[in-house]
């Protein structure tokens, strides 16, 4: 199995995919006046954003690519068949009748991208969307967006990577379905629906909440908002970045709300550090393509292993590879054998939930390490403590 991190990091959009975003956050969240209600419909889009023949893989919500994307990612990805080549960008079109509400231009200090755009748009008043990694914007639309001189931010999601992002003022530009709006070499697709019941997180205070409802608690799969026959066509694409493995477990579009309070499953934070950037943190969740496997997404907080999305097949009993949802407060130290496949072990991880909101982990790298060799389980001074 090819490691997910390698797959993401050699992409043409490497600087952003590996460096992470400041969380595809909406800076102003201004809903244009007069925008119609969505009603109860989820059949809002009628056009794929790029030609179907160019798509290699459509990745569900929840993918993790540490250190920049240590948490389950709140957007889907489209990988093109030209992935990893120097081919020209492909045409990007409006997925339905949309109102463009603003844009962001992001400049990266390293990688092959240099700079790219994100386009914010709304198909109706209750749903907000974002296309990320837009290589170029159609000149007519770019002129209507105006200057990128609002709410500029600078951050460094990875060592050696500096990012600057600047937004436009809010705009209201109606674009008809299928109209070219730019180009892309690979796309992020974010969608927020304030009509849904808010997702539940173990520590809701960790996440930004918007008065508009367009926030992490209302993330939904972009792929689920097509009408037929496009909806069925998109569902058949969802899975690994290279299109070789399909996701078959519902919701096929993926999810990000994996926290189970009082267990090891979910997102964990380095004490005293903010939620963003995600680099110093940890996530332990079902895999975004095959949820029968567990992904342990480690940023830079474990000194004995490189940042990575490591996997194991969970068991219902014992102390070896026990499912994280069954690792509860006050229980024994558990041992996980983690790697990039069932026969590709890269390290063992000792894990214990000391109380409902505190988790200790110590990784010990080496392809020959096995949990049996670590008996009796005991932490050393290299163990790291995370909190909820």
């Amino acid at each position: 199995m090819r490691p997910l991190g390698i797959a993401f990091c050699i992409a043409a959009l490497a600087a952003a995919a590996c460096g992470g975003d400041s969380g595809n956050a909406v800076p102003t969240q201004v809903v244009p006046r007069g925008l119609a209600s969505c009603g109860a419909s989820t059949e809002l889009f009628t056009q794929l954003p790029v030609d179907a023949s160019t798509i290699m893989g459509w990745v569900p919500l929840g993918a993790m690519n540490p250190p920049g994307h240590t948490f389950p990612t709140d957007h889907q990805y489209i990988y093109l068949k030209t992935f990893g080549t120097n081919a020209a960008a492909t045409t990007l079109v409006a997925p339905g009748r949309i109102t463009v509400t603003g844009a962001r231009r992001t400049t990266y200090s390293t990688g092959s991208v240099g700079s790219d755009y994100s386009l914010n748009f709304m198909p109706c008043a209750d749903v907000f969307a974002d296309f990320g990694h837009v290589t170029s914007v159609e000149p007519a639309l770019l002129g209507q967006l105006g200057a990128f001189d609002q709410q500029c931010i600078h951050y460094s999601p990875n060592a050696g990577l500096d990012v600057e992002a600047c937004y436009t003022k809010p705009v209201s530009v109606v674009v008809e379905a299928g109209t070219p709006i730019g180009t892309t070499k690979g796309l992020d697709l974010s969608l927020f629906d304030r009509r849904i019941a808010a997702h539940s997180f173990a520590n809701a205070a960790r996440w930004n909440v918007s008065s508009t409802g367009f926030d992490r608690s209302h993330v939904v799969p972009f792929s689920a908002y097509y009408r037929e026959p496009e909806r069925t066509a998109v569902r058949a694409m969802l899975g690994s970045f290279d299109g070789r493995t399909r996701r078959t477990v519902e919701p096929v579009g993926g999810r990000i709300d994996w926290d189970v309070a009082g267990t090891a499953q979910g997102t964990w934070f380095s004490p005293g550090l903010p939620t963003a950037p995600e680099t110093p943190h940890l996530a332990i969740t079902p895999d975004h393509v095959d949820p029968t496997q567990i992904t342990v997404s480690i940023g830079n907080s474990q000194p004995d292993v490189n940042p990575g999305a490591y996997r194991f097949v969970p068991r219902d009993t014992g102390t070896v590879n026990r499912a994280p949802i069954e690792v509860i407060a006050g229980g024994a130290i558990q041992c996980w054998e983690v790697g990039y496949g069932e026969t590709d072990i890269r390290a063992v991880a000792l894990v214990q939930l000391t109380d409902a909101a505190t988790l200790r982990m110590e990784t010990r790298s080496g392809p020959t390490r096995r949990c049996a060799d670590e008996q009796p389980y005991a932490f050393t001074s290299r163990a790291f403590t995370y909190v909820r």
Side-chain angles (χ1 to χ4, degrees):
M1 178 183 292
R2 190 179 193 184
L4 179 66
I6 294 175
F8 274 33
C9 292
I10 64 172
L13 51 151
C18 298
D21 306 320
S22 57
N24 282 346
V26 186
T28 53
Q29 298 184 340
V30 173
V31 178
R33 291 182 180 178
L35 200 60
S37 168
C38 300
S41 178
T42 58
E43 297 182 345
L44 303 180
F45 301 132
T46 60
Q47 304 281 327
L48 271 64
V50 296
D51 190 281
S53 66
T54 68
I55 297 175
M56 177 171 66
W58 193 313
V59 180
L61 293 175
M64 292 178 284
N65 183 44
H69 282 318
T70 300
F71 301 144
T73 306
D74 63 0
H75 49 273
Q76 296 182 329
Y77 298 90
I78 288 179
Y79 279 86
L80 304 181
K81 292 178 180 177
T82 53
F83 167 71
T85 72
N86 292 320
T90 195
T91 299
L92 176 67
V93 303
R97 189 176 194 271
I98 61 173
T99 299
V100 177
T101 61
R104 179 183 73 211
R105 182 172 60 203
T106 305
T107 303
Y108 310 95
S109 64
T110 61
S112 59
V113 177
S115 64
D116 61 13
Y117 301 87
S118 293
L119 291 175
N120 305 151
F121 59 92
M122 300 180 71
C124 48
D126 304 301
V127 172
F128 183 95
D130 178 281
F131 280 163
H133 302 313
V134 177
T135 308
S136 66
V137 179
E138 281 292 309
L141 177 57
L142 189 62
Q144 291 175 287
L145 288 170
F148 290 83
D149 59 1
Q150 303 293 305
Q151 299 177 329
C152 292
I153 59 173
H154 297 79
Y155 61 101
S156 182
N158 294 347
L161 174 62
D162 294 317
V163 179
E164 178 186 64
C166 292
Y167 296 84
T168 66
K169 292 179 180 178
V171 299
S172 180
V173 181
V174 176
V175 181
E176 298 298 330
T179 302
I181 55 177
T183 61
T184 186
K185 292 186 177 182
L187 196 63
D188 288 4
L189 309 95
S190 301
L191 201 68
F192 306 85
D193 186 342
R194 61 184 178 186
R195 298 170 298 174
I196 69 167
H199 300 318
S200 177
F201 299 105
N203 183 358
R206 275 285 183 175
W207 309 103
N208 291 330
V209 176
S210 168
S211 60
T212 64
F214 302 134
D215 51 39
R216 190 174 178 88
S217 293
H218 296 87
V219 168
V220 291
F222 195 100
S223 58
Y225 281 66
Y226 278 91
R227 73 176 186 189
E228 294 292 1
E230 290 82 9
R231 182 177 298 208
T232 295
V234 171
R235 280 176 61 90
M237 299 179 189
L238 289 160
S240 61
F241 82 99
D242 56 9
R244 295 178 182 177
T245 306
R246 303 301 184 195
R247 178 170 171 133
T248 59
V249 177
E250 296 290 352
V252 176
R255 55 183 286 192
I256 63 168
D257 54 328
W258 286 113
D259 283 3
V260 178
T263 78
Q265 182 169 298
T267 50
W268 293 91
F269 305 90
S270 293
L273 295 181
T275 302
E278 302 173 18
T279 306
H281 303 309
L282 172 74
I284 305 166
T285 76
D287 184 69
H288 69 290
V289 175
D290 179 5
T292 66
Q293 297 188 40
I294 298 300
T295 296
V296 182
S297 179
I298 301 172
N300 62 9
S301 55
Q302 291 289 322
D304 205 39
V305 297
N306 293 326
Y310 302 94
R311 298 181 180 85
F312 69 92
V313 177
R315 300 174 182 172
D316 294 332
T317 60
T319 59
V320 177
N321 290 346
R322 189 71 174 267
I325 200 170
E326 297 182 0
V327 178
I328 61 175
I333 297 175
Q334 304 288 319
C335 183
W336 296 336
E337 297 172 347
V338 299
Y340 295 125
E342 290 186 56
T343 60
D344 182 3
I345 307 301
R346 301 299 177 96
V348 298
L350 299 184
V351 180
Q352 186 178 41
L353 207 65
T354 56
D355 61 51
T358 308
L359 180 142
R360 294 190 76 192
M361 175 182 284
E362 180 178 347
T363 52
R364 300 170 184 174
S365 65
T368 62
R369 281 191 180 273
R370 297 295 183 269
C371 288
D373 302 324
E374 306 303 317
Q375 294 277 13
Y377 303 148
F379 292 114
T380 72
S381 60
R382 296 174 70 82
F384 193 85
T385 299
Y386 302 89
V387 295
R388 277 258 155 92

